[in-house]
Amino acid sequence: QVQLVESGGGLVQAGGSLRLSCAASGRTFSTRTMGWFRQAPGKEREFVGAKDWSGFGTRYPDSVQGRFTISRDNAKNMVYLQMNSLKPEDTAVYYCAARREYSAASSQVYDYDYWGQGTQVTVSL
């Protein structure tokens, strides 16, 4: 069982930066792929990025490539999402998610078994 708690969301102006954090419980964190997703009102949940358990496999969609960076600290059971050059269209609730052990970085919602409660990110003009 894995429990995830996100933090770090807030209100930021366009062009600004935010760093989201996700604290994970459980002894299997270091062997799980971790992903970030977001969901805006009235829209489906959208893939933002993922980093596999080895730390070498990372995926981002084109919409955030070059602006967002995922990192993880296995010693602290933490995963982070650094978001730079934020745009109003980045406004959404951001979710941290965990896949099964020793899996690849996936962009599919259905591949993730555990989810956090989400943290709101609002980007103003």
Side-chain angles (χ1 to χ4, degrees):
Q1 190 76 7
V2 178
Q3 292 185 325
L4 305 172
V5 179
E6 302 95 335
S7 61
L11 174 64
V12 63
Q13 286 189 326
S17 298
L18 276 177
R19 187 197 195 202
L20 304 184
S21 299
C22 174
S25 67
R27 292 175 291 178
T28 61
F29 173 80
S30 64
T31 56
R32 292 186 182 272
T33 286
M34 300 300 296
W36 285 95
F37 292 77
R38 66 187 180 189
Q39 189 165 18
K43 294 188 177 182
E44 293 186 352
R45 195 161 293 191
E46 176 189 20
F47 173 67
V48 173
K51 183 176 285 292
D52 74 7
W53 62 276
S54 73
F56 294 103
T58 307
R59 296 182 65 176
Y60 301 99
D62 290 343
S63 58
V64 307
Q65 180 74 48
R67 299 190 298 123
F68 290 11
T69 303
I70 293 176
S71 61
R72 60 189 299 163
D73 184 338
N74 288 341
K76 296 182 178 179
N77 276 20
M78 296 290 295
V79 62
Y80 306 98
L81 181 66
Q82 178 67 43
M83 305 185 294
N84 299 327
S85 302
L86 283 162
K87 305 175 182 180
E89 51 263 43
D90 294 320
T91 295
V93 177
Y94 282 71
Y95 297 91
C96 172
R99 282 200 74 184
R100 68 182 185 277
E101 294 185 78
Y102 303 111
S103 58
S106 170
S107 62
Q108 302 301 315
V109 171
Y110 55 73
D111 278 336
Y112 291 82
D113 302 312
Y114 302 98
W115 293 84
Q117 83 290 348
T119 185
Q120 176 71 45
V121 172
T122 303
V123 184
S124 63
L125 288 170

